[in-house]
Amino acid sequence: IREDQPTSLFSENDPLIRKLLELNHEYVDLCMVGNVLQWDQETYMPKGGDEARGNQLAMVAGFAHKVITDPKVGRLLADLQEQGERWSGTCFTDYDNALIRETRRAYDRRVKVPAKLVEDISRTTSQALELWQKARKESDFRIFSGVLKSLLNLKLQEAHCVGFKDPPSNLFLDDHEP
């Protein structure tokens, strides 16, 4: 990096952008902790730890949900929108605008979903992995079918909370292809 180039792509001198970056880092770090726990469950975790791991994953998912749905995130996003409108968007870099847009999208969607549902989905997903592995090994889908029905029901509840109607499966696509 040359001395005349900025060291960051974001407007870190702006206290609101700095705060939004901090909140996003906290949220992403918690999500990454969950990813490491999932990876360990799928690769190295000894047998018999699935229930405890499911509870750990649910707890981390709950903490992450709490961070991104905190009312202060909504207020911060409103303040950033007001600031952007006041300066016709010229006070933000393209990266700032993308950060604001994607945080707004995450906040608006996740704030509609109860924390308990987020935790239940995480816990059931963890349980489903164990049962899927067993069903696959024994070539017996019936082992997995009950938890699959439970997980589908939970995800349909999430789709209802978020407002996806026809078809609710668009919720699943929206997770990966907004």
Side-chain angles (χ1 to χ4, degrees):
I1 297 178
R2 295 187 341 234
E3 284 185 33
D4 62 333
Q5 287 183 321
T7 57
S8 174
L9 301 172
F10 296 97
S11 304
E12 290 184 351
N13 290 333
D14 185 313
L16 296 178
I17 291 294
R18 210 171 39 250
K19 183 64 180 167
L20 190 60
L21 282 167
E22 289 170 11
L23 288 167
N24 268 278
H25 288 154
E26 184 178 350
Y27 174 71
V28 169
D29 285 349
L30 285 166
C31 291
M32 292 299 106
V33 166
N35 289 346
V36 170
L37 288 172
Q38 285 177 317
W39 171 81
D40 179 65
Q41 181 180 9
E42 293 177 25
T43 56
Y44 293 107
M45 189 178 81
K47 295 220 181 287
D50 293 309
E51 184 177 346
R53 183 51 51 89
N55 291 332
Q56 293 163 359
L57 286 164
M59 184 179 70
V60 170
F63 284 146
H65 183 76
K66 185 177 179 179
V67 167
I68 198 65
T69 61
D70 190 310
K72 68 182 175 188
V73 174
R75 288 190 299 275
L76 179 59
L77 289 166
D79 291 346
L80 283 161
Q81 181 178 351
E82 182 182 311
Q83 181 175 321
E85 288 169 358
R86 190 176 20 204
W87 294 98
S88 301
T90 59
C91 58
F92 299 128
T93 68
D94 289 344
Y95 296 97
D96 297 337
N97 287 322
L99 173 69
I100 294 165
R101 180 188 66 241
E102 293 305 311
T103 305
R104 169 58 72 191
R105 181 178 176 279
Y107 175 81
D108 287 347
R109 179 174 168 171
R110 286 170 178 78
V111 78
K112 296 174 185 175
V113 181
K116 173 134 178 38
L117 180 57
V118 170
E119 293 169 2
D120 289 347
I121 290 170
S122 181
R123 189 177 290 108
T124 304
T125 300
S126 177
Q127 179 188 14
L129 174 65
E130 173 190 15
L131 293 174
W132 167 248
Q133 290 170 340
K134 182 177 181 186
R136 189 177 59 199
K137 183 177 182 182
E138 296 179 18
S139 294
D140 186 356
F141 180 73
R142 291 172 294 166
I143 294 169
F144 180 64
S145 65
V147 74
L148 178 61
K149 287 177 188 173
S150 296
L151 190 55
L152 182 58
N153 181 46
L154 290 168
K155 293 300 281 183
L156 288 172
Q157 288 177 47
E158 180 184 12
H160 177 74
C161 291
V162 171
F164 279 91
K165 298 207 184 321
D166 294 319
S169 59
N170 282 344
L171 171 75
F172 313 128
L173 296 174
D174 193 59
D175 281 340
H176 304 285
E177 297 289 336

